[in-house]
Amino acid sequence: MVDDMPMADDEAIESQGQPRPASLEDALLDGLRRGDEVAFESLIDRHTPAMLRLALFYVPSLAIAEEVVQETWLGVVRGLGSFEGRSSLRTWIFRILINKAKASGVAERRTLPLAAEGDGDAEAPSVDPSRFRGPPRGYWSSPPNYWDELPEDRLLAGETLAVIQRAMESLPAGQQAVFELRDLQQWTSAEVCKALGLSEGNQRVLLHRARTRVRSAIEEYFDAR
Amino acid sequence: MKALALVGLHPWRTCRKSVDSVTEFLEGSLSPEDRTRVLTHLKVCPDCPRYFRQIELTIRLAREVPAETLPLPGRAALLDEFRDSHRPPDEEI
Ligand SMILES: [Zn+2]
């Protein structure tokens, strides 16, 4: 119900957030205003990957997404003087991005209806059905392996993280955008629905597909070892 | 027939249904009845709790993936623009 209430964009994106690491953003904003190039570069590095993933939700190619991100940063540079800090710096940047991406996306519209991109198989099972026994109880016949009990240094090893990164990169654009914003950037579901123009249900399906696929990639990786 | 209907009402969930609802469970978007079914299942199932933990661990690990420093085309031009925007106006030089 609350999500359907009309709200100004700023408020809708800003109000329901969890606590965020504000101090780093504050420091970066200070730096930007002073003309500190290192601050600007670190802001670019910090947000560009997420921005590209989000742009790819609206436009059909990486090249166009890169243009959108580029234009966004130009907009940031030019608009900095008029940014009043009523929303967070990040929210402001992503709002510029979404506007620019939407504007390009209209011209370059993908043929695929975006919200339908739960792989087109929103009803598909999360786990290969052959891994379960039949009814009535349908226990696992091939349960998840125990990779979660591996020591932290194995889990956080570069090789493991590379597997995870590849899995994230191979997700369809909608799943990638939702996973990035929800699970990595820790936006709320209301924020993500608003930013991507998705219903709660669609958003949840995309998130579920994404998490499921990334988990499977980790499992396969440790299975093979 | 009656017995079959009762099976439908039983709080038992199959493993497959449980793993399909892991995101709804974590999001808190299940109905109270379905939530109870999943919780009941998790108490008695030897494997699903691990699956649920793995989903949470997956999210935690994904956050540890270092953000790639992208060679954004036009990065140099952006830095120029930034520098220019902070250059004092001519008359002050
Ligand atoms: Zn189970």
Side-chain angles (χ1 to χ4, degrees), chain A residues 44-45 85 114 145 167 172 180 186 193 200 219:
Chain A
I44 294 179
D45 290 340
L114 289 172
N145 67 30
E180 172 74 41
Q186 301 182 58
C193 288
E200 285 278 339
E219 179 174 69

Side-chain angles (χ1 to χ4, degrees), chain A residues 139-140, chain B residues 13-16 18 41 45-49:
Chain A
Y139 276 127
W140 292 79
Chain B
R13 280 223 136 181
T14 62
C15 292
R16 194 174 148 180
S18 295
H41 180 83
C45 179
D47 299 311
C48 284

